[in-house]
Amino acid sequence: MKIAIIGAGSGYMPGVVRGLLHRAADLAGTELSCHDTDADHLDLMTRLARRMFAARGADLTVSAHTDLAAALDGASYVFTTFRPGGLAARHLDESIPLAHGLVGQETAGPGGFLMALRSVPVLLEIARLAPPDAWIVNYTNPTSIVTDAVARHTGARIIGLCDQHVGDTEMWAGLLGLPADRLEADWIGLNHATWAERLRLDGVPLDLPALLDGLEVPGGGATPWRDPVRMVELGKTLGFLPNSYAKYYFFHDAVVAQLREKGVTRAQEILATMPAYYDGVAEQARRDDPDPSRERGGGEHGEFAVDTICALHRDEGRRVVVNVRNDGAISSLDDDATVEVPAIVGRSGPVPLTMGPLPRPVRGLTQAIQSYERLAADAAVTGDRRLALQALLAHPFVRDKATAESLLTEGLAAHRDHLPQFR
Ligand code: G6P
Ligand code: MN
């Protein structure tokens, strides 16, 4: 069995290696075919992986490739986890919208749109080169648009992943004083725009509106990924759980002010830590039993992806929240929309569970985001400027045509090296 890892030089790779180690027994004999465009980072991460596998006696082999076709050759699973253009491109995605008074974010809004334009062509190339029966297990953002583009425009099999709901469920468990490992939430909607009206403890439904009613707004605790104060304020109003990315929609102007005040983008913040991060990984890769930093993707990220691959490969028929073709799972969205829902994952792929309608207070918003995502996917595949403009106009952040036109012109120029479809 062969798993291709595309983006294996990424800072998230130590977490992926940990995820593989935690399922090493189930994956015994597997070859990890690692690819990256950055040969130095690829070399570092594959050395680290070999060391970590050897130290734990894991029967996993590692090969390194800078040639995409060679990496994909014979793969049963293709795990995609890269940022086209890296953090430098992400900085542009975050700063261009902000200059127009809009939230600048790597996946939400016009920033995510620009990232989609770069990610989709690479994923289409991977889908073309991968064995036709391979499963693409995709983390590359924006995962819903990428998954949608590949699913509707190629014959490839793809599942879109995001581990956000794992950490969000943990956050709510903490806030509600409930044990996270016994909680299950029905997160439904679109990636980074999901909602949970149903929450169960040991399978028993909880009265969520009552729980939220009784909840006090916490004093702080914001991280780059989560903002408990805003989420509790919003949850109390909605009566159900919002995904942490809901802050970009419901606190849009306050977030813009905050981003402006901060003065540096998230990409710049991360870039500043990268040299020391990679030095630390290099130091660990020389040890007999490496224990690299968990700073990037150290939590659920790697395990969630490897567990999903295992669910497919071992026909586990397990419930996993994935991005997949709707097919009626969410009655408020088109059948051919790519949605994020709980699905039963086994050898023949994910089968989404029937979830009913979206909650009324966010139904229109989610439908608008879905229209945007679909137009964005088609624009990213075709390089059609009119579709690209329609996509931006459909996005809830964008309120006028002139803004959409400037965003598009600036975005296409800034990223032109990564946008072959628009040339
Ligand atoms: C969360 C999201 C991911 C995103 C990541 C960015 O985990 O679910 O989709 O890529 O945050 O984190 P960063 O530390 O790079 O800002
Ligand atoms: Mn995500």
Side-chain angles (χ1 to χ4, degrees), residues 169 172 176 183-189 195-201 203-209 211-212 239-242 319 329-331 340-342 353-359:
T169 304
W172 284 106
L176 295 165
L183 269 193
E184 188 172 72
D186 288 345
W187 290 107
I188 69 165
W195 322 97
E197 280 184 299
R198 293 182 295 269
L199 186 67
R200 292 173 295 276
L201 180 66
V204 180
L206 298 170
D207 184 349
L208 196 47
L211 283 175
L212 289 168
F240 51 85
L241 307 182
R319 184 185 191 275
I330 301 174
S331 58
E340 189 166 296
V341 277
L353 294 170
T354 303
M355 288 283 136
L358 290 163

Side-chain angles (χ1 to χ4, degrees), residues 8-268:
S10 146
Y12 283 85
M13 189 59 178
V16 174
V17 174
R18 281 201 174 90
L20 289 160
L21 269 176
H22 123 104
R23 298 302 298 267
D26 295 321
L27 294 169
T30 296
E31 178 192 342
L32 305 164
S33 174
C34 297
H35 174 274
D36 207 285
T37 51
D38 182 324
D40 293 338
H41 285 166
L42 176 66
D43 175 62
L44 169 61
M45 293 299 176
T46 49
R47 273 189 290 118
L48 176 80
R50 288 193 191 102
R51 278 281 167 118
M52 287 175 74
F53 295 151
R56 309 292 162 87
D59 178 16
L60 299 167
T61 58
V62 178
S63 60
H65 310 268
T66 49
D67 180 68
L68 189 57
L72 294 169
D73 185 44
S76 301
Y77 301 94
V78 179
F79 174 44
T80 42
T81 175
F82 56 87
R83 278 199 168 91
L87 290 162
R90 177 176 175 179
H91 168 69
L92 297 169
D93 294 344
E94 291 169 336
S95 42
I96 292 170
L98 197 57
H100 292 273
L102 306 182
V103 160
Q105 215 282 325
E106 79 164 330
T107 63
F113 171 76
L114 296 177
M115 187 177 193
L117 298 187
R118 297 194 304 283
S119 297
V120 166
V122 185
L123 256 297
L124 293 179
E125 175 74 351
I126 290 169
R128 190 176 68 77
L129 293 173
D133 57 344
W135 274 104
I136 301 174
V137 176
N138 177 66
Y139 255 139
T140 290
N141 270 327
T143 194
S144 51
I145 299 176
V146 163
T147 303
D148 188 56
V150 170
R152 287 190 300 105
H153 290 273
T154 79
R157 308 203 282 181
I158 184 164
I159 298 186
L161 291 190
C162 171
D163 58 357
Q164 189 69 31
H165 67 279
V166 181
D168 277 1
T169 304
E170 273 168 18
M171 176 189 78
W172 284 106
L175 290 164
L176 295 165
L178 297 166
D181 55 338
R182 290 162 52 200
L183 269 193
E184 188 172 72
D186 288 345
W187 290 107
I188 69 165
L190 306 168
N191 178 242
H192 293 181
T194 51
W195 322 97
E197 280 184 299
R198 293 182 295 269
L199 186 67
R200 292 173 295 276
L201 180 66
D202 296 327
V204 180
L206 298 170
D207 184 349
L208 196 47
L211 283 175
L212 289 168
D213 240 6
L215 197 56
E216 270 182 43
V217 178
T223 67
W225 308 281
R226 281 173 193 90
D227 189 334
V229 175
R230 286 177 173 144
M231 286 308 100
V232 171
E233 284 177 6
L234 183 60
K236 286 172 82 70
T237 303
L238 295 175
F240 51 85
L241 307 182
N243 183 293
S244 286
Y245 281 72
K247 83 167 178 192
Y248 299 118
Y249 299 93
F250 292 97
F251 300 85
H252 180 275
D253 296 355
V255 171
V256 166
Q258 224 179 342
L259 291 172
R260 286 202 160 136
E261 200 192 327
K262 199 167 113 198
V264 289
T265 60
R266 176 75 184 139
Q268 287 176 312

Side-chain angles (χ1 to χ4, degrees), residues 401-415:
K401 186 161 167 291
T403 305
E405 278 168 357
S406 316
L407 283 167
L408 185 61
T409 304
E410 286 165 35
L412 293 182
H415 293 300

